[in-house]
Amino acid sequence: MQKLGAATISNIRFQRLYGVGYKTIAKALGLSPATVFKYAATLPLSNFAQENILASEKDNQIKFAEKFAKEKSIIYPKVDEYFVNLLGHLFFDGSVYQSGKKYVLSYTNSSLLAIKNFEFLIGYCFSLTPSKLICYTGIKIPWFESKVYSKKAYNYLLNVSSSFSTSDPVGVPKIIFDSSTEIKSAFLVAFWDDEGCISNTGCLSGSSNSLKMISDLVKLHDSLGIKCHKLTQKRHKSQIIADQQSNSTTFLGLLSSKPCKKPKNFQCLL
């Protein structure tokens, strides 16, 4: 620790008695905060000095928040194949939620390709970049979670659907039912990407905790000429079964296609 002259020590104490913070004094005099603290910590401070210190700390907190916690600017998406494909992923393997002061859009999958597709869609639709990519150790294989923080995107999405949790009685958003064949197909692609599975007998099925969502998906398939039926399983889990044999051409034509023409780095999983 530096050995100081009487004039410097006097200057430290004078500034501290006026209510100047340790770091501010240290910066002004070219000293370390620890050195300033050594010579000023025991000084009795007046109410005026204490108020100055509190005001300075509050001002620093505001400046820090303005610099590091500033809300990200976004673009607002139009209702196209990209956006409804993103909506589907947020419903089926994703989530939109608030945690404390954080507004989160997240997506989980064991496939890094699926994660990259999600991140592309977030960037394309909202001009946002992922805030965090987490790798979890699964029982058999690892799985990944991509998180994006944005209050503006969160609020925008809640105008489309009041919830993105299929534990709630949510269904297919009205804007999708009222849209074109391409829009409907892009939403269904996300469902089959995230929830679809095929048995060794060739039965194609997908499940959801939301009976309303499954019922709406049956209607959405039907509007495209694809016959499906729903099956309610134990623990209130509902399932959609695609009758692929009787309408395989229609099914594959609509749901095996990519949501829309897109850059080379975007790949649909179907």
Side-chain angles (χ1 to χ4, degrees):
M1 191 172 290
Q2 296 169 262
K3 187 174 182 180
L4 306 180
T8 303
I9 294 172
S10 177
N11 195 349
I12 290 172
R13 290 176 174 171
F14 174 80
Q15 291 193 55
R16 185 60 181 173
L17 288 171
Y18 188 76
V20 181
Y22 295 123
K23 289 184 179 179
T24 304
I25 298 171
K27 186 176 181 180
L29 299 179
L31 303 171
S32 69
T35 300
V36 174
F37 180 81
K38 175 185 176 182
Y39 291 100
T42 59
L43 293 175
L45 299 179
S46 65
N47 290 337
F48 173 78
Q50 292 178 31
E51 288 173 1
N52 273 354
I53 291 171
L54 289 174
S56 178
E57 289 177 350
K58 187 174 182 180
D59 185 55
N60 287 336
Q61 289 172 358
I62 292 172
K63 288 179 180 178
F64 180 86
E66 288 176 346
K67 183 176 181 180
F68 295 103
K70 188 176 181 180
E71 172 67 13
K72 298 175 183 176
S73 60
I74 67 171
I75 59 173
Y76 291 99
K78 59 182 179 180
V79 180
D80 60 9
E81 294 97 326
Y82 291 102
F83 180 57
V84 297
N85 193 248
L86 174 62
L87 285 180
H89 288 306
L90 289 170
F91 273 114
F92 303 122
D93 265 354
S95 54
V96 178
Y97 63 94
Q98 182 180 354
S99 177
K101 294 184 179 181
K102 291 183 178 179
Y103 299 84
V104 188
L105 285 62
S106 74
Y107 179 71
T108 60
N109 206 290
S110 60
S111 166
L112 267 178
L113 174 59
I115 292 293
K116 293 302 178 185
N117 284 347
F118 170 77
E119 292 177 347
F120 164 77
L121 289 170
I122 283 288
Y124 181 87
C125 295
F126 289 107
S127 192
L128 290 170
T129 55
S131 304
K132 186 181 293 186
L133 177 62
I134 308 168
C135 179
Y136 299 94
T137 303
I139 297 175
K140 294 183 179 180
I141 57 174
W143 55 283
F144 307 92
E145 180 179 18
S146 180
K147 289 186 176 183
V148 179
Y149 302 126
S150 172
K151 184 177 180 179
K152 291 179 180 178
Y154 169 88
N155 287 332
Y156 182 87
L157 288 166
L158 289 192
N159 286 325
V160 177
S161 176
S162 59
S163 173
F164 281 78
S165 171
T166 50
S167 296
D168 298 328
V170 296
V172 175
K174 187 175 183 298
I175 59 170
I176 295 173
F177 270 118
D178 295 341
S179 295
S180 65
T181 295
E182 291 76 17
I183 295 291
K184 295 175 182 178
S185 177
F187 186 79
L188 293 176
V189 165
F191 170 72
W192 290 109
D193 275 350
D194 291 343
E195 303 294 347
C197 63
I198 188 166
S199 70
N200 54 11
T201 61
C203 176
L204 185 61
S205 64
S207 60
S208 172
N209 289 323
S210 171
L211 178 59
K212 177 170 174 50
M213 177 62 78
I214 289 295
S215 298
D216 281 356
L217 287 170
V218 170
K219 294 176 184 176
L220 198 61
H221 281 86
D222 188 61
S223 73
L224 299 178
I226 301 171
K227 299 302 178 184
C228 299
H229 64 276
K230 64 183 177 183
L231 175 68
T232 302
Q233 300 176 310
K234 293 180 180 179
R235 298 181 181 178
H236 307 291
K237 189 100 170 176
S238 298
Q239 194 173 41
I240 183 171
I241 310 294
D243 184 4
Q244 221 175 336
Q245 292 181 345
S246 64
N247 37 218
S248 58
T249 302
T250 306
F251 186 91
L252 293 175
L254 288 172
L255 302 186
S256 296
S257 61
K258 295 179 175 63
C260 52
K261 188 176 181 181
K262 56 184 70 65
K264 292 180 180 179
N265 65 335
F266 184 89
Q267 300 178 48
C268 176
L269 300 184
L270 279 176

